[in-house]
Each structure stands twice: as C-alpha cells, then as structure tokens.
Amino acid sequence: MTAPPRYRTDPSPSALAARLRALRTAGVPVACHVYAGLSAPSASSALHARITHAMAAAFVTGADVPRFEPPPSAHLRLLTAASRGRLDVGGPDMTTFPVDLASELWWRVHERALGAADRRAACDLLLRLGYPHRAAAAIGLTVIDPRKHVLSPDLALEQLAVLRCHLPSSAVEAMALRGARSGLPASTRRDLALFVVFRAAARGVDSTSLQAAAALAVKASSELPQNGFAGLLHRARLHRAIAAVPFVRRDITEAHRLLGRALESLSAITPATEMDRLAWADEAYALHCLLVRTHLAVGLGQRASGYVAELVQLSPGDDRTWALQGDVLAACGSLEEAVEAYGRGVALGGWGAARAAYLRGFVLERLGRVGEAAEDYVLSQRIDPTSSVVAGRGDPAPAVQGQVQPMAVQPPAGQPRPVRPRPAARGRAPQPLAR
C-alpha cells in the first residue's frame, strides 16, 4: 500500500487556540486524566503519563527523580482538559487550576515547588505539566539572552528546555553545542551533545552540527562509567542517538549495528526499583519507536513488526503506539488489521484521535470503504481543524505531494532484536509494567 502522507498540524498559538476550541466539542474525551490535575493513572494511561504521575509522587516526598524523555506535547494539560469540555485550565500558575479537577497530589506539588531544594526535578515536572514560566522561576532563570547566557553544570538541560519555549530552535541548539565544547563536567557535556543530536536528527538530513554533536557525545561518554544501571542506560541512549548519523546518510547497516548495541545495553540492565523500571521502559519505548520508523523508512515492514509489538507491551495507552502498529500492518499489506490498530488510537480520545482517525480513513479508502473513510476524515477535522493534511478533505483523499516512498534494500546481517530487561536477582525481581 502507498505510504500515508505525513500528518502535520500548525504549531502557532492561534492554531493551538483553534485546536482547543474544536476539542471541547468534538466528543472524544481523553481516557487518562493524569495531565489534567494529576489524577492517578489508569490502565489506559500512556507510559509518559505514568512517568509524570510517578515523578510527582516522588517529588513531593523528596525522593530522587531521574531525567526522562519529554512527553509528546508541552500542551497536554490544555489538550486533556479541552477534550473533557473544559477551557478553564489555562492559567499561568498551578493555583489557578480548577479545584474540581485538581487532585491532592496536584496541590502538594504546587506547595513543594514554591521552594523546592531539588530545583531540577521541580523544573522538569513543571514543564511536563505545561508551566514554563514557573519552571523558569524554579531554576532561577529570569533573563533570557542566548548571547550572554552561561549554562549551569547541574541545570543545563533544564535551562535549555525552558529556553526552547522562548527562543528559536537554532539559537538553543547553538547554545547547547557551545556547552558541549566547553569545560563543563563530562556528564553535562554528553547530555548537551545528545540534545543537539536528537534535534538535528529529527530534521532527517546530514549536517555539520549533527556530526559534531555526535562526536562530542562519544568523547564525553568515554570519560564516564559505562557499567551499572545509569551507565548502561546512558550507553543505550548514546547509541540510539549516534545511529542517526549513518541513517541520514542511508548507511542502514551501520545504523542498525549501533541500534543493536543500544538494545544490548538495555538487555543487560536489571531495574531494581519502580523508578528504575520506568526509566528503563522510557528508553526502551524511545528506542523501539526509532527501530520501527527506521525499518519502515527503508521498506522493512516485516522486521518492524517485532519492534512494534514491544511498543504495545510498553505503552498500550499511547496513540503513537497504535499509529506505528497501524503503519507496520499497512506496510505489510494487512489492511484490515491496520484499521483495527488505528481504531485503538481513536478510542483513546483526545488530540491524538485526530491523527488516528485520519490514518484509519486513509486505509479504509484503500479498501474501497469510501463512506467510512469520509466519516473518519470528518471526525479527524472535527477534532483538529489545523491539520494541513485533513483540511478540505470530505471526499476520498487525493495524492499528497512529498509522500515518502519505502526504499527497497536487503535486510542487513545481524539484525537487532527486541529485548526485555534482564531478570533481577532473587529478592528483587522487577514487577511487570502496567498493561
């Protein structure tokens, strides 16, 4: 089947306002309420939502909170509430959040964030909840000037995360690259270099900044411990990042060799605590998403199926999981199963249901079920009218310019396989992740 066109939405503030108004009346409430008041996660909660709740619970008790991958949107608080018919959650501070939506944990986080000793955890959590100004205050970032700002050894990533809300991406990446070349501690230089690698790789083209950042990340990592839980997790993340360099050059064999090393590092990890298990799952989810996308991009849909099965195990409550599951099934010619997978994403509700409905409509149209496809296109636009793909689509979908076609290549030898964390020693067996 022809690859579906990429689903794009307008990132401007006016488009966000339109999206929120549409969500309020679309009738697709989000099943998970973590971001709208820190309610307890449910079986339908995505991994990133479970992480957010666990971070909040640990933060209020003063426990250590590791760094995690950012959630898929900085506006999940607004989007979640809008899907439930509420547009009154947009205040700049946690104190303005509606009392009937806020849990006790929400207020405990607010109280502790006012004068938190762990400024890094406070900033990370406030950013996940969509309060960038409060996050900036938590780390003492009051003046935003990329020409004069000096990154802190302990808070560099948090400073960059806040600055991304106010400055162009190019300016923030330039700051990170300067920091990666500076005399900051090796762990900070590594994290700054990886920050640049991930963002440069997302553009999908080779560049001097991508190459330089990858080399700096490898150099800084060589100065740090490679064993233990943290060392192995960082090594997996390093190889996941630098695999982007050969991939954008279409050196698929080398890219998969590096991704295989990332999988080896993950398989050697023994999570001992619940927070460790979440950190492992967070990296595993990001890695398997990348494995699925890289295999689909070069026409290896069958090999991608094993990796997407891992995503279903890790985070069945994430609409991205079912979008990738549907993409893999469609690439393999299993169109009816793809329709079911995209339908799982629609059932999760919220903003993600717009993309899921569009993708389901795209496949239904290929199956000749034009009436059902048109209904899904209408549903998608009703949820998110800012999509450049869905807008103006009431009839069967025309071809979209710029479509990515799979590139037929031979599967490289030594293909990496999905992994599970190594079983812990007796007495500290990890509990299974919530399904």
Side-chain angles (χ1 to χ4, degrees):
M1 189 191 81
T2 302
R6 189 171 296 181
Y7 186 87
R8 300 178 185 274
T9 54
D10 186 345
S12 67
S14 60
L16 173 61
R19 199 173 301 134
L20 295 174
R21 290 193 297 269
L23 260 177
R24 184 175 66 87
T25 58
V28 287
V30 174
C32 169
H33 300 163
V34 167
Y35 290 98
L38 285 176
S39 298
S42 64
S44 60
S45 295
L47 174 62
H48 62 78
R50 301 203 308 270
I51 288 171
T52 298
H53 192 272
M55 287 176 65
F59 175 68
V60 298
T61 62
D64 290 336
V65 179
R67 284 193 177 101
F68 290 96
E69 292 289 313
S73 171
H75 306 298
L76 287 176
R77 168 174 54 91
L78 303 176
L79 294 167
T80 299
S83 75
R84 300 171 63 188
R86 302 288 292 266
L87 296 179
D88 55 346
V89 301
D93 192 272
M94 294 181 76
T95 56
T96 63
F97 196 80
V99 175
D100 61 316
L101 295 181
S103 66
E104 179 185 353
L105 180 59
W106 180 273
W107 300 119
R108 293 179 65 192
V109 167
H110 165 64
E111 292 168 1
R112 185 168 179 83
L114 293 174
D118 190 349
R119 297 189 296 160
R120 182 192 62 76
C123 179
D124 288 347
L125 186 54
L126 288 166
L127 284 172
R128 293 179 82 93
L129 295 176
Y131 292 106
H133 294 288
R134 287 289 299 118
I139 58 174
L141 187 60
T142 56
V143 178
I144 299 175
D145 187 342
R147 298 167 299 177
K148 300 179 181 178
H149 188 78
V150 177
L151 294 172
S152 162
D154 301 320
L155 298 170
L157 284 185
E158 285 65 39
Q159 291 172 331
L160 291 176
V162 170
L163 291 171
R164 285 181 64 204
C165 301
H166 304 279
L167 299 174
S169 297
S170 57
V172 178
E173 289 177 24
M175 291 176 60
L177 201 54
R178 287 198 301 270
R181 291 183 171 125
S182 69
L184 289 168
S187 60
T188 305
R189 286 186 280 113
R190 174 201 61 203
D191 292 344
L192 291 173
L194 291 178
F195 178 93
V196 177
V197 171
F198 284 126
R199 278 145 191 82
R203 292 189 283 273
V205 294
D206 199 5
S207 65
T208 55
S209 62
L210 173 61
Q211 297 174 35
L216 289 167
V218 171
K219 181 179 183 298
S221 295
S222 69
E223 304 171 28
L224 296 166
Q226 302 293 307
N227 298 315
F229 178 83
L232 289 168
L233 198 64
H234 283 303
R235 192 162 67 184
R237 191 166 188 262
L238 171 70
H239 287 117
R240 170 167 66 92
I242 63 176
V245 178
F247 185 77
V248 297
R249 298 173 179 171
R250 285 297 185 261
D251 185 352
I252 306 305
T253 300
E254 177 61 12
H256 285 161
R257 185 188 71 81
L258 291 169
L259 292 174
R261 293 189 65 182
L263 284 170
E264 290 171 4
S265 296
L266 278 183
S267 67
I269 290 176
T270 302
T273 66
E274 178 61 22
M275 200 61 81
D276 284 351
R277 285 187 284 275
L278 288 172
W280 183 92
D282 192 40
E283 177 57 33
Y285 190 85
L287 177 57
H288 283 87
C289 279
L290 181 58
L291 282 163
V292 172
R293 292 183 178 117
T294 55
H295 281 74
L296 284 177
V298 296
L300 299 176
Q302 290 292 346
R303 288 186 176 270
S305 60
Y307 302 122
V308 82
E310 290 290 308
L311 296 179
V312 173
Q313 293 295 314
L314 289 164
S315 188
D318 196 321
D319 64 273
R320 297 173 299 173
T321 296
W322 298 108
L324 288 173
Q325 173 82 296
D327 291 348
V328 169
L329 290 167
C332 294
S334 302
L335 301 190
E336 292 289 354
E337 291 85 350
V339 168
E340 293 180 13
Y342 293 136
R344 295 286 295 271
V346 174
L348 291 173
W351 179 42
R355 179 177 61 164
Y358 165 75
L359 293 172
R360 185 172 65 179
F362 185 86
V363 177
L364 284 168
E365 184 182 346
R366 268 65 193 164
L367 287 169
R369 294 154 64 177
V370 179
E372 294 173 75
E375 291 177 3
D376 271 342
Y377 289 142
V378 170
L379 172 61
S380 182
Q381 190 170 23
R382 189 170 77 238
I383 299 169
D384 183 2
T386 71
S387 169
S388 58
V389 170
V390 179
R393 299 278 297 275
D395 298 325
V400 176
Q401 293 182 350
Q403 241 171 249
V404 178
Q405 299 294 337
M407 185 173 66
V409 300
Q410 292 299 316
Q415 194 69 35
R417 299 189 178 190
V419 298
R420 299 282 186 188
R422 175 182 291 176
R426 188 172 61 183
R428 48 195 279 258
Q431 299 298 313
L433 293 170
R435 295 289 188 256

